[in-house]
Amino acid sequence: MQRRLAWLILPVALLGACAKGGGGLVTPPPPRPDQAFAASDVTPDPAFHYGRLGNGLRTIVRSNATPAGTAMVRLVMETGSLDEAADSRGYAHFVEHMAFEGSTHVAPGTMVPLLQRAGLTFGADTNAATGFERTVYQLDLPRGDPALLDTALMLMRETASELAFAPAAVERQRGVVLAEMRDGRGSALADRQGAQRFLYPRATYIQRLPIGTEQGVTLASAAGLRAFWQAHYRPSRTHVVIVGDFSAATMERAVAAHFADWREPATPPPPRQPLGTVDTDRRDLVDIHIDPALTERVTVSRHGPWRDEPDTIANRRRAVLRMIGYRVIDRRFQSLARRADPPFRGAGFGTAPVFHLGRTTNLVIDTPDGGWRRGLIAASAVLRQTLAQGFTRAELDEQLANLRAGFVDAAAAGSTRSHSALVAAALALIADDTVPTTPADALARYTQFAPTITPAMVLAALRDDALPLDMPLIRFRGRRAPDGGAAGLRAGWAAGQIATATPFVPVSGRFGYDRFGPPGVVVADARDAQLGVRLVQFANGVRLNLRHTDLAKGRIRVSLALAGGEALGTRDNPLAVAMVPFLAQGGLGQHSADDLQTLLAGRSVGGSLIAQGDAFVAEATTTPDDLALQCRYWAALISDPGYRAEGNTAFHAAIANVLARRNATPHSALANALGGIISDHDPRFALASLAAYRALDFGKLRSDIGDWLTHGAIEIGMVGDFDEAAAIAAVAHSLAALPAREADFRVDPAALQRQFTDTRGPQVVRHSGEADQAIVRMEWPTTDDHDQRLTLTLTLLQDVVTIAVQDTLRETMGKTYSPRAYSAQSDFWPGWGTFSVQAAVASRDLAPTRAALKSTMAMLVAGPIDPDLIARARAPMLQRIDNALKDNGGWLALVARAQSRPDRIARQTAAKALLTDITADDLQRAAARYLAPDRAVELLVLPAAAPTPGP
């Protein structure tokens, strides 16, 4: 269960995302759909079907075919951690874990294997999340099969009314819950909890995090968990949501067949615990939180009363006005942050509700270490002047263009909205009383309203919503204490109230890149016989691969590959391409990055380069109307990059942060050490020193990659809803109009040399995080991906190993939350590939975890491998192959390099037959060839003070 862990959100995000509750002793909220529709004049999306069974259970179903032949099922229980008493903290989340541990008709330990055999992946398709007010169980069905839908609803009903709570199962899951709790601890969580305690000391939710407490989980009994579940899991507090490629009638009948005979208990549900209050008079207080792992941030806040605003057209219009106002302020902040010498790294301003208890306005400023005062003064001056003086018509027009583009694009794609988007709309109705509507209706309402919007209207709405930050709450967090402490922070805020902000003046004019030379001439044009990909070549050497689909109406996924990439990094110049991801932040020759944001407002254009194998690659999503502009933007980025100083500044700020946090957590310490360890510290794959990064600038980057930008081979991929002739013309007038390119993706053979270390056995990596957190990782060399059958064998073995270690370390031993294996075979470095297995555990459990991992791998090497284990791994892989081309992303993976790597198409068409043909003997031979425990590099990630373990 890869939970989203709603309890980990930042206070600002939490305020925007939380569902609404009540103050004092309250009963469960009234049925959401009835309440929302009765209070709203918004026209509902007629394709949603709402129902209520005789027992009170609510249903929301919608027929949808994106992706085709699949479905999503959600069981929503109106029960969360706010229903827990002081002596049952963590019970709602613990019950969620027990849903996978046996019930009346499903034996312990059989639910997940049952779903895996049906093609669902544990964690991706089989999942759950516990929040403050509700628990959501999810099953994503890879096939539109009525029998699979029946199985899914049977399991949901078992969760709702038939759980077993066997004492042995409770003990197993206790360890897993404690492991999840342990993995979540660290500097980030401590910071969030500290902020919540400072802002909301009288609110109950800060004492009811869904993960619970160690004491509550440790003392929880099977009887206590069962009592909580029986009291709170009842039809009147349940919603079943299904979106998928079935008729609405089929889905409604299936829900009724499984849930209609569930009886509401005679006793009323327990009242929700008192939710406390948000103190609107809380002011003029300062909190300082120091942690060497945290970046510097100042948050300025004030609280106000909650506002009851039903989902009506009038309130949606008010929300649009407020959104524009907040976006204008954030746009001014963004412009300042993009300067060559910015006063802060970033800043944001917003207001959001806290359940039904109140609302909070926050100004958040992120600064480089020691830069808090300058950033606080600059941000507060911008905010004060904007709220006092308003903003310009040009600023308003920029935001209106962006809003309109969003509405237009959503309406164009309305008939191909994804299951996930529609499920999100249904859950928003349940959680927030937001009426699901159609994108076309939303566009029509916006089109009617937008011409009436003025800067004065937006400013009035903003002033009405945002709470005045007079005598505010100020919270500082960072690596070292602020100069002057609390008094210094107050003085910095006061200085901002009299400082003068630099006016923000959006650039005027138009995008300055219309012509790149005579339009390119097509010299070759063919179509792939297997998948229908159109393969075009232009006279200047640019290649274009096209595949029209109707999977997302009005949307086009595009990719750019430009020769160069990681291959340019050498042992003598290992950081040659380190700054490439920041190239776009340097803007273009004619426009800064900040100017481009204004000039391209309302247009779906973008995509920054990254180094990947033999190419610099970029991806973007655009529209038929913006495709030509997207191509012109990329042509300008390649032919006339701006190399402005602000890109340098952004790079150095980012890398300083990475290095400051390199060992802050077990996972960051491992990620930053792994490349160097397994490559014998080849500088191309190891983190460099701060001095080495400081020596980099755009001048050096231009020297290292400039010739490749000018002459390197180019290949473009396009997938989606476009006219092929228009797409070819868009490239002809942009990238194909550039000077001649090299024909192939050239690579220096010396760059292809990559060696896995000969050192074996344990190696210790130290982290500075929690003292009870450790990671065990075993890493083996394998090979590259030239042999597709071997690649599929190792990928299948990866999933076999993942299931095996989950069964052992998680379900049997209860030592870890999400152990798994990884197989990564290179399509660039000859002979290079790795296989690894990893588990995060308590430091005290290092020895048994190492022993269990080695025992599991030895079992697989010795064979025979359990056929059921293979079936549970193979079925989801086969489903992923079947569904790979049901979205544009899957198509783009094939189309992007269809000319320079034509084997990818053939591999896609051959994959299912090859995977089906892989035998247990094949897997065992691969395990014996590559994964013998004594041939692994064993990385032990330990707290700084932990003793070094033996071999």
Side-chain angles (χ1 to χ4, degrees), residues 25 280 313 379 476 570 620 629 657 768 808-809 858 932:
L25 286 171
T280 58
I313 292 173
F476 173 92
T570 66
L629 181 58
N657 241 353
S768 57
T808 301
L809 287 173

Side-chain angles (χ1 to χ4, degrees), residues 239-274:
H239 307 259
V240 176
V241 177
I242 310 176
V243 175
D245 206 354
F246 301 99
S247 69
T250 295
M251 293 183 278
E252 289 176 329
R253 283 195 301 269
V255 175
H258 286 281
F259 286 91
D261 64 348
W262 182 19
R263 296 289 175 252
E264 179 78 7
T267 56
R272 181 155 281 172
Q273 297 297 308

Side-chain angles (χ1 to χ4, degrees), residues 694-710:
R694 282 178 172 167
L696 301 180
D697 59 24
F698 272 159
K700 183 178 185 308
L701 182 67
R702 188 202 306 252
S703 173
D704 287 331
I705 74 168
D707 186 60
W708 293 86
L709 295 181
T710 302

Side-chain angles (χ1 to χ4, degrees), residues 256-388:
H258 286 281
F259 286 91
D261 64 348
W262 182 19
R263 296 289 175 252
E264 179 78 7
T267 56
R272 181 155 281 172
Q273 297 297 308
L275 297 186
T277 61
V278 169
D279 184 1
T280 58
D281 292 326
R282 188 170 174 79
R283 65 181 67 190
D284 197 27
L285 299 173
V286 175
D287 182 51
I288 296 174
H289 180 81
I290 306 303
D291 189 313
L294 295 176
T295 58
E296 193 167 276
R297 167 177 288 178
V298 179
T299 304
V300 183
S301 310
R302 279 302 307 271
H303 304 317
W306 177 75
R307 287 177 166 174
D308 185 9
E309 296 182 328
D311 186 17
T312 64
I313 292 173
N315 282 332
R316 288 195 178 197
R317 288 181 169 182
R318 272 189 284 273
V320 166
L321 296 175
R322 295 168 184 168
M323 180 191 305
I324 293 170
Y326 288 120
R327 286 185 177 182
V328 166
I329 293 174
D330 286 351
R331 178 70 178 90
R332 291 185 173 190
F333 289 152
Q334 194 173 43
S335 184
L336 281 176
R338 284 187 173 134
R339 294 186 175 184
D341 182 26
F344 41 68
R345 293 191 300 116
F349 181 62
T351 303
V354 191
F355 301 97
H356 280 183
L357 301 176
R359 71 189 203 280
T360 300
T361 294
N362 291 300
L363 170 63
V364 182
I365 308 115
D366 290 316
T367 55
D369 289 352
W372 65 267
R373 180 178 171 85
R374 183 184 177 207
L376 178 60
I377 292 172
S380 58
V382 167
L383 177 60
R384 176 179 52 80
Q385 288 186 199
T386 305
L387 289 173

Side-chain angles (χ1 to χ4, degrees), residues 809-848:
L809 287 173
R810 177 187 166 108
E811 301 304 327
T812 301
M813 299 173 63
K815 296 295 185 184
T816 186
Y817 175 57
S818 56
R820 66 157 300 152
Y822 310 84
S823 178
Q825 293 175 266
S826 177
D827 62 357
F828 174 62
W829 284 289
W832 179 266
T834 61
F835 193 104
S836 58
V837 58
Q838 177 175 314
V841 296
S843 303
R844 64 182 178 278
D845 290 329
L846 192 70

